[in-house]
Amino acid sequence: QLQASGGGTVQAGGSLRLSCTSSGRTFSRTDMGWFRQAPGKEREFIARIRWTNGFPNYAESVKGRFTISRDNAKNTVSLQMNSLKPEDTAVYYCAAGPAGIDLSYVGSSGANYDYWGQGTQVTVSS
């Protein structure tokens, strides 16, 4: 139901843009999030965009470098990643929250998302 794309290999300081398209009919009423998981590490929250007001939230590790956005007409959420660092290397996953529910203060917890994309690899070389 969620198809992520846009991963790849980039040098440190470079940029990538990830996209995630939903085939669901409730995208416009769904909080959308991005998470990542590096080898040997737990899944980590990156960013979330709320469906009620479009406000984003970011992890401290990416704040000021990453930007999440959504296009409800295209059922797509994007993650623009700038000033990439080697520590950003991971598999990136998009996730959709329950329809009609504003995840509010729990939007950074992956447990609150219902659907997950297949993941896209991002590798940042030093």
Side-chain angles (χ1 to χ4, degrees):
Q1 191 172 14
L2 296 176
Q3 183 70 38
S5 62
T9 300
V10 65
Q11 288 189 330
S15 299
L16 282 174
R17 185 177 181 85
L18 306 183
S19 294
C20 175
T21 300
S22 170
S23 61
R25 293 181 291 178
T26 59
F27 179 85
S28 63
R29 298 186 295 115
T30 302
D31 278 12
M32 297 297 298
W34 285 97
F35 295 76
R36 68 186 181 190
Q37 187 166 21
K41 295 188 176 181
E42 294 186 353
R43 183 177 61 197
E44 176 188 17
F45 166 77
I46 297 301
R48 181 273 301 262
I49 187 164
R50 298 167 76 165
W51 68 271
T52 51
N53 54 20
F55 285 1
N57 302 106
Y58 299 96
E60 285 297 323
S61 59
V62 305
K63 195 172 291 185
R65 300 188 297 124
F66 291 11
T67 302
I68 188 172
S69 60
R70 66 189 299 158
D71 185 339
N72 289 337
K74 297 181 179 179
N75 277 19
T76 299
V77 60
S78 299
L79 186 69
Q80 178 66 42
M81 305 185 294
N82 298 329
S83 302
L84 283 162
K85 305 175 181 179
E87 51 263 43
D88 293 319
T89 295
V91 178
Y92 283 68
Y93 299 90
C94 60
I101 302 294
D102 182 345
L103 293 178
S104 187
Y105 297 106
V106 297
S108 61
S109 173
N112 294 311
Y113 289 80
D114 289 348
Y115 300 99
W116 294 80
Q118 84 284 9
T120 184
Q121 176 71 45
V122 171
T123 302
V124 184
S125 60
S126 57

